[in-house]
Amino acid sequence: MQFNTIDFAVFFPIVFVLYWFVFNKTIKAQNIFLVITSYLFYSFWDWRFLSLIFLSSLIDFFIAKSLKKSSNCQRKLLVGISLFFNLGVIFVFKYFNFFIETFTEAFLLFNTPITYNSIEYVLPVGISFYTFQTLSYTIDVYRKRINATDDVFSFFAFVSFFPQLVAGPIERATNLLPQFQKRRFFTYSKAIDGLRLILGGLFKKMVIADNCALIVNNLFENYNDFSGSTLLCGAIFFGFQIYGDFSGYSDIAIGIARLLGIDLMKNFKFPYLSKNLIEFWRRWHISLSSWFRDYVYIPLGGNRVSKYRLIINVLVVFLLSGLWHGANLTFVFWGLFHGIALIVTIFFKEYLRSIKVFQNHDNDLINFLRIGITFSLVTIAWIFFRAETLREAFGYIDAIFSPSLFSIPQGNKWFFIFLMAYMGVEWFQRDKEHLLDVDYIYSKTFRYFIYYGMLFLVFYFAGDLQTFIYFQF
């Protein structure tokens, strides 16, 4: 069940009414209702994989409780069990075939062919999201940053909360779990802001992402038939597609949660306005990048190490980030590309600061130049993310940098102008909480003109329905 479908338009109002008017008497009743609702929501994809969510929740709930009264040796064993189960489930469903195939191909280099049996299965939707969420809880309890909860229903609600169950944000127990342990009350201002987030998210998904998808799919499938300038536009369109798709999902999820009295963390903060790659990763998929920072990068030593070790730490984090996105060499290369580019950014940061012109942070021309360079690097990297194989990715890039790069692009130029105009709106809203955070506009009439105008765009200019990209991760 996707957020932008008739099914969900029927499902959620029923949930909303029951949540606030029937099950609002006690915290326990609300939490049990949310768990049942979330499991029902997930079952629309495949009810068989509900057992994985249940087992992951149950194992980490009891492991965390056991950590409170265990010796140091036992604590390490318990957290090891949690790591083994959660990462093991991801490995089997997501990476087993990938590593077996890679291992087999490595033997072919030595003229030693080996046979293997691959596993045929369907990847459980959202497995990388909810396993990372429950795993972070166990690790935080192990580190004694939080106390293990004794409330099984609030914990199960924390793991399975349906707005962010299948594509994040990847929440931390320090933020989300306490909200399920106290009474929730309907707040009009929070609900209104939730509706604005949902509207903005639907606009990003249905108008920007789904229309971009129609163009991008055709260009990547037939890149040999188009000019370099058209393919360059296609890469840019994919950048907007994945941004509109994923940030749109996050906005809708956060908005739905607010209608239910729950605050989820911000997952995107106008990332294409970033002035360097360090800033980009502080603004893009914030819940995942902060997860890798806290549970991988900092334990490896962070930036308080030698320059050689720093390079290793950054590469490890981004290679893992690439693998998290999928079992394909294209994702590994995408992560490696970002890792190398980020290392260059880190080591040249001090040099750039020594250049007088870059010391003026209020210089809009310099800022636009830095934003343009960062966006260009990110766009090149997106080609590897979108391509099916490395051969296709390099072929696409090679086709871009042909003499036809300087020709007039084919296709809908008006939509490209529309996207540039949208970026102008983001630039204007860059210091606000989200796209439709327009409370600063004094005229209520003008605010509603903006809302109804965006609603009109959603209904009349929505592209063909496309599955959210991050559902595959």
Side-chain angles (χ1 to χ4, degrees), residues 77-215:
L77 176 61
L78 287 168
V79 79
I81 292 172
S82 176
L83 286 165
F84 179 79
F85 175 78
N86 287 291
L87 297 181
V89 166
I90 294 177
F91 177 83
V92 169
F93 279 96
K94 199 169 181 178
Y95 303 111
F96 180 81
N97 287 343
F98 171 72
F99 281 105
I100 289 294
E101 289 170 7
T102 304
F103 183 74
T104 303
E105 290 173 4
F107 268 82
L108 289 176
L109 295 176
F110 301 98
N111 295 318
T112 310
I114 59 174
T115 58
Y116 70 96
N117 294 319
S118 61
I119 302 177
E120 299 296 332
Y121 48 71
V122 177
L123 180 67
V125 176
I127 189 171
S128 297
F129 289 91
Y130 66 76
T131 49
F132 267 41
Q133 184 159 309
T134 185
L135 187 57
S136 69
Y137 164 77
T138 309
I139 295 172
D140 283 347
V141 172
Y142 172 76
R143 293 176 174 176
K144 299 183 178 180
R145 291 181 176 176
I146 59 173
N147 294 319
T149 182
D150 293 320
D151 185 348
V152 66
F153 295 113
S154 65
F155 181 74
F156 271 60
F158 155 72
V159 176
S160 64
F161 188 44
F162 74 89
Q164 47 89 224
L165 173 61
V166 295
I170 303 171
E171 277 290 346
R172 307 295 180 84
T174 50
N175 173 52
L176 187 55
L177 184 56
Q179 297 185 64
F180 291 116
Q181 296 173 326
K182 62 183 180 182
R183 192 82 177 272
R184 277 91 71 188
F185 298 95
F186 181 81
T187 306
Y188 178 78
S189 59
K190 182 181 286 188
I192 291 298
D193 198 52
L195 289 172
R196 294 188 300 187
L197 277 160
I198 292 171
L199 178 57
L202 289 173
F203 171 80
K204 289 180 181 179
K205 167 60 178 170
M206 299 174 71
V207 178
I208 294 179
D210 287 353
N211 278 297
C212 282
L214 300 176
I215 302 170

Side-chain angles (χ1 to χ4, degrees), residues 276-416:
N276 56 60
L277 284 176
I278 298 173
E279 184 180 347
F280 175 80
W281 282 105
R282 290 172 181 164
R283 291 169 173 262
W284 178 276
H285 202 176
I286 299 168
S287 63
L288 180 67
S289 57
S290 61
W291 198 99
F292 276 111
R293 178 197 65 202
D294 294 342
Y295 299 107
V296 179
Y297 182 67
I298 292 177
L300 287 174
N303 56 4
R304 297 182 177 181
V305 291
S306 66
K307 288 185 177 180
Y308 173 77
R309 183 63 184 274
L310 175 62
I311 292 172
I312 298 298
N313 291 351
V314 171
L315 289 178
V316 166
V317 167
F318 277 94
L319 283 173
L320 289 176
S321 178
L323 270 176
W324 181 91
H325 283 87
N328 194 317
L329 287 176
T330 54
F331 295 117
V332 175
F333 197 91
W334 172 79
L336 183 64
F337 182 98
H338 269 283
I340 293 172
L342 198 69
I343 290 167
V344 173
T345 302
I346 292 170
F347 286 116
F348 276 87
K349 196 174 180 182
E350 290 300 321
Y351 171 72
L352 291 175
R353 283 177 179 171
S354 66
I355 301 175
K356 189 174 182 180
V357 69
F358 284 101
Q359 294 174 1
N360 185 359
H361 298 291
D362 296 324
N363 188 320
D364 285 341
L365 181 60
I366 295 300
N367 286 336
F368 280 128
L369 176 61
R370 295 168 68 190
I371 289 171
I373 293 171
T374 303
F375 181 78
S376 298
L377 289 171
V378 171
T379 299
I380 293 171
W382 282 138
I383 295 173
F384 293 96
F385 195 98
R386 173 58 180 80
E388 297 293 331
T389 64
L390 285 178
R391 181 187 295 274
E392 179 184 315
F394 283 113
Y396 191 98
I397 293 172
D398 184 59
I400 288 178
F401 293 101
S402 64
S404 60
L405 175 61
F406 302 100
S407 63
I408 297 175
Q410 303 162 255
N412 192 338
K413 301 175 185 62
W414 288 109
F415 189 61
F416 187 84

Side-chain angles (χ1 to χ4, degrees), residues 54 61 200 241 243 332 387 428:
F54 179 80
F61 175 76
Q241 179 193 349
Y243 172 53
V332 175
F428 191 76

